[in-house]
Amino acid sequence: MKVTIVGAGNVGATCADAIAYRRIASEIVLLDIREGFAEGKALDIMQTQTTLGFNTKVSGSTNDYSKTAGSDVVVITSGIPRKPGMTREELIGINAGIVKGVAENLLAHSPNAIVVVVSNPMDTMTYLTLKATGLPKNRIIGMGGTLDSSRFKTYLSLALDKPANDIQGMVIGGHGDTTMIPLTRLASYNGVPVSEFLSADELAKVAADTMVGGATLTALLGTSAWYAPGASVAFLVDSILNDQKKMIPCSVMLEGEYGQSDICIGVPCIIGRNGIEKIVNIELNEEEKAKFAKSADAVRAMNGDLKSILS
């Protein structure tokens, strides 16, 4: 199995490292526009083979999409972060142009690939990729809910003082500080609702901490996070390539599910060899439904800034 990752920055390189170390794919191609950058990252990862015990082939390319040919999964991390003084519309305009061009180049060489979108604003870039390529919706996956759910379970484990891998929980809605919805009502510790161990106030704090999880790390690091995002992409790619049928919250095009249409937003999905194999409809209560509708309105408003790109 072959995976291409576009963007050899912190997130892309960490994703490549995790996929290689976990032996998820037999071949990884890192691609970047900076001369020699992807090649250097790939060589650095390759030099860990004998000490970490994997045989995945990792190569780098400076903007040569022909080397990505035959990829089973392509991951798009490229784009720029929002800079001081830059409007949301300006950021969307720049990143939309980048993502659209990248997707078209990738699919020219790997027409059957599953596309995983990481670039921000993630829900909007997922929607753009779907509309610009005309691919069926099962082949375009936004990874935001995977990362948000990982952060949610981490905060739950800290509050419970219990192992994170014994905790189940998910985040739906938009991939943003004000649009994501941590489903505290459904979270559990070894099958027992976490509400049996945590008070309503404690659960509210967990949800609030989850929603600003990315911003918290940016404030601490001075830049966006990369370990958890990179690992989340690898987790998603693993479920695709190895047909694991895991239920993972992802941004996917809705066509009536959850009362929404013509929007890419985070909902639980079964992820396998065909990408999005099923959208799981969970029964939300009235409060959760209202939050989801509000989140969808915010994502849809952001999508409105794509009109000039898609016209």
Side-chain angles (χ1 to χ4, degrees), residues 3 14-15 22 24 26 33 36 82 91 107 139 165 179 209 228 240 252 256 270 282 285 304:
V3 176
T14 302
C15 173
R22 292 176 56 193
I24 294 169
S26 58
I33 61 172
R82 186 169 174 177
L91 175 66
L107 290 168
R139 289 176 54 192
N165 286 311
T179 56
D209 288 344
I240 296 169
V252 61
I270 303 301
I282 57 176
N285 63 27

Side-chain angles (χ1 to χ4, degrees), residues 15-24 28 45 48 51-56 58:
C15 173
D17 187 52
I19 291 173
Y21 176 58
R22 292 176 56 193
R23 305 168 182 82
I24 294 169
I28 301 168
I45 293 171
T48 70
T51 49
L52 296 179
F54 66 88
N55 292 308
T56 304
V58 186

Side-chain angles (χ1 to χ4, degrees), residues 35 39 49 73-74 78 112 123 132 161 186 199 240 288:
E35 187 69 38
E39 291 87 340
Q49 284 183 312
V73 175
V74 296
S78 47
N112 299 314
D123 297 294
D161 193 25
L186 300 179
S199 68
I240 296 169
E288 292 159 350

